[in-house]
Every structure is written in structure tokens, then in C-alpha cells.
Amino acid sequence: MELEYNGTVYRPPVEANTLLLPVTEGCSHNTCRFCNMYRGVKFRMLSSDEIEAWLTEMYRVNGVYADQIERIYLVGADPFAISASRLEVVIDLIRRYFPAIQTVTMYAAVRNIMSKTDAQLKRLRELGVNELYVGVESGLDDVLKFLNKGNTVDDVRRQCARLNSIGMRHMSLLMTGAAGKGRGEEHALATAELINEIKPAMVLLTTISVFPGTDLEADVKAGRFTLAGEKEILSEEKLFLERLNLPSMYFWAAHSLNSVRIAGFIGKSRKAMLDRLQYAIDNIDEELFSRTFRRDHL
């Protein structure tokens, strides 16, 4: 069997050193206004034979170190979309080749969590699915609706509360600037309030970007959405960071889409991160920035 993944393989930047196992292709939703990552790639789940072929090759490549690997990341836009019973089969296959695995992690849309019962979530947690990257994006309902995320803020609250109740860690993916020009303060306050409530282990913050071929690109060109200036975006990020009251949470905003790259635990590094953001706010040349910084590709 020839091993070739259909489309580009994406994973959170913080998982750069994690073993990557293809489980799904494409995205089960694939209609978010800002995303072009899986356009043209039909969603499907890889068969058990395909997954085992990948595991066989991964085991061969890792050689003597295979028995020491403790973490694996399931590749796909939202592998948590597949059923709980199917995930159990996948995890069983993984452990045949990598018995030391302690953490099975992946992207998960809010709707994927909603589709699973409490008992199913608990069982998956017992099997090692103890971390999920959840696409939260915003703490404002109208922004989530505009982005076509397919869930509400209350859905985020309820589903993350379910994860917290069983001890399944979750990391929130967020986007500054998602509310558009003039709404940075409102967006920062609402999103900080949500994050303080759902208590993720980590926040991964990027900046809304206009990728080619997306509905957002059409919205910007037609004047239906106006991007915030960089000073407003940085001010939004600073206010958001100031309002977080989770000292043990890790804050990561070091993506290529972020003009100021910062990272650290809130309790230990917040002041240094805030100082860096304030320096950028005080010294940014908006005109020069708009000519030299691009957010049209990952």
C-alpha cells in the first residue's frame, strides 16, 4: 500500500515534535468563512488497514525509540468527528505498535464533543484521549455565527464543562480581530470571560487572516467585513491577556500570523508579555506594517 496523505498535513505548532498519525482527511464541516485549509479535500475516515499501514511504517522509521514514544497526534481537521467506538479501534491499533503511548491528542470541534455521551468521553479519557485542541475562536455569539463555526458560546461552555468534569484537558484556539474593526475591546472582554469560565490548559492565539478563496476574502472585498488595524489587534490581545485570571494556564501567541510573538505561563510571564505588546502598540507604524506584513497564507 502506497502511503500518501491527501492534502496538506496540519497540526498545532506546539505539536512540532509529536508523532503524527493520519486518521481522517479533510474536514467534516469545511464551511468556516476564514478557512481554506481543506477546500477541495473530501472528508473521509481512513480504513483500519490504512491506519495500520501508517503505524507499521512509523514503527519502522522510529526503530529502537518506538517503545519510548508516549504521545501521538491524530491528523485531520477534526478526527474527533468519528464515533467513539471507532476511536477505540484506532487507539487499540496505536497501542499494538506504540505500547508506551500515554496521550492521544487531536483537533476537536465543539460539535464533535456534543456528539458523544458522557460515558463515551469517560471511556476515551481512560484509553488515553486526555487532550483536545478545541476551535473556540471567540466569546461572542454573533462572531461565531458570522464565522460559521456551527456552535454558540453556550455550546462551548457546556462542552468544555463536560471535558473538565472527566479530567480531559483541552486547549482553546482563538483569533484576535475576529469581530472586525472597532470591536477589539468588546471581543477581548467577552472572550476573556469565556476562557476564565471554561479553564483550558492552554490558549493558542492567532490573528484573523484573509486567505485566498475563502468567504472572508469575498466579504472583505465586498465591504461586508472590515479588518481591524494592527494597533487595535494588539490592544485587543493585551486587554484579553490582562483579564485572564488563570495563573497556571499557558498562553501561546507565537504563530506566523501574529506580528508580536509571545508565550508563557500567565502567572510567571504575563508582565513580560504585556510589556512586549505595549512596546509594539506604542511604536507600530500602521502604514509600514500594512506594506510589509502579510497574513494571506500559513
Side-chain angles (χ1 to χ4, degrees):
M1 179 185 297
E2 183 178 354
L3 297 179
E4 184 174 349
Y5 193 74
N6 181 22
T8 303
V9 173
Y10 295 98
R11 46 91 181 133
V14 294
E15 298 289 351
N17 297 318
T18 304
L19 195 67
L20 305 178
L21 174 65
V23 171
T24 61
E25 292 177 351
C27 176
S28 63
H29 186 59
N30 209 20
T31 55
C32 290
R33 302 191 74 79
F34 58 89
C35 183
N36 66 354
M37 293 165 63
Y38 301 97
R39 298 293 168 90
V41 180
K42 185 177 181 180
F43 179 78
R44 78 175 185 97
M45 181 180 65
L46 274 66
S47 69
S48 295
D49 287 344
E50 289 175 296
I51 293 172
E52 188 157 16
W54 279 100
L55 286 166
T56 300
E57 181 62 10
M58 291 160 65
Y59 184 86
R60 184 191 68 79
V61 169
N62 284 278
V64 296
Y65 299 102
D67 291 341
Q68 301 175 33
I69 294 173
E70 298 181 345
R71 185 180 184 87
I72 192 165
Y73 182 85
L74 306 188
V75 172
D78 52 350
F80 211 57
I82 63 181
S83 69
S85 59
R86 180 60 184 160
L87 277 171
E88 289 194 35
V89 172
V90 171
I91 295 168
D92 181 62
L93 284 172
I94 290 170
R95 294 199 184 281
R96 292 182 197 178
Y97 291 85
F98 300 96
I101 288 290
Q102 296 181 10
T103 296
V104 179
T105 182
M106 69 199 87
Y107 281 130
V110 173
R111 62 188 175 277
N112 302 156
I113 306 168
M114 295 170 69
S115 70
K116 293 172 176 62
T117 67
D118 289 347
Q120 288 171 335
L121 290 175
K122 289 177 183 178
R123 176 58 178 161
L124 291 173
R125 171 67 180 85
E126 292 168 357
L127 292 174
V129 181
N130 47 39
E131 292 187 2
L132 295 176
Y133 289 87
V134 182
V136 174
E137 318 304 355
S138 171
L140 289 171
D141 271 321
D142 70 299
V143 172
L144 293 180
K145 184 176 180 180
F146 171 74
L147 297 176
N148 198 29
K149 285 293 296 180
N151 61 263
T152 65
V153 172
D154 193 52
D155 290 333
V156 175
R157 290 192 184 97
R158 292 176 183 274
Q159 300 314 309
C160 289
R162 294 177 68 212
L163 298 181
N164 290 339
S165 70
I166 63 168
M168 188 180 289
R169 283 163 46 100
H170 53 95
M171 285 71 79
S172 293
L173 308 177
L174 302 173
M175 285 194 302
T176 53
K181 183 178 181 180
R183 299 185 66 192
E185 180 177 345
E186 177 190 7
H187 195 236
L189 294 174
T191 307
E193 180 180 1
L194 175 64
I195 293 302
N196 285 332
E197 182 176 349
I198 65 175
K199 297 177 174 57
M202 182 189 305
V203 156
L204 293 92
L205 189 74
T206 61
T207 306
I208 195 166
S209 307
V210 183
F211 298 134
T214 59
D215 292 337
L216 182 62
E217 181 187 45
D219 291 331
V220 171
K221 288 180 178 179
R224 293 187 294 267
F225 184 86
T226 303
L227 292 166
E230 194 62 20
K231 187 182 290 280
E232 182 180 0
I233 286 172
L234 293 173
S235 297
E236 176 187 334
E237 182 176 350
K238 181 172 180 286
L239 179 58
F240 171 71
L241 181 54
E242 287 172 340
R243 293 302 178 100
L244 295 175
N245 58 20
L246 302 168
S248 63
M249 188 185 77
Y250 194 77
F251 184 90
W252 187 91
H255 198 280
S256 60
L257 300 176
N258 298 113
S259 62
V260 178
R261 296 170 192 177
I262 54 177
F265 287 99
I266 299 296
K268 295 180 180 179
S269 304
R270 173 157 35 197
K271 185 180 184 305
M273 293 190 288
L274 289 173
D275 288 347
R276 189 167 183 183
L277 287 170
Q278 189 61 58
Y279 179 86
I281 292 167
D282 293 340
N283 292 280
I284 190 170
D285 182 325
E286 291 270 13
E287 182 179 349
L288 177 62
F289 181 86
S290 66
R291 295 202 311 265
T292 58
F293 196 89
R294 291 288 178 267
R295 291 192 175 105
D296 55 5
H297 65 278
L298 288 172

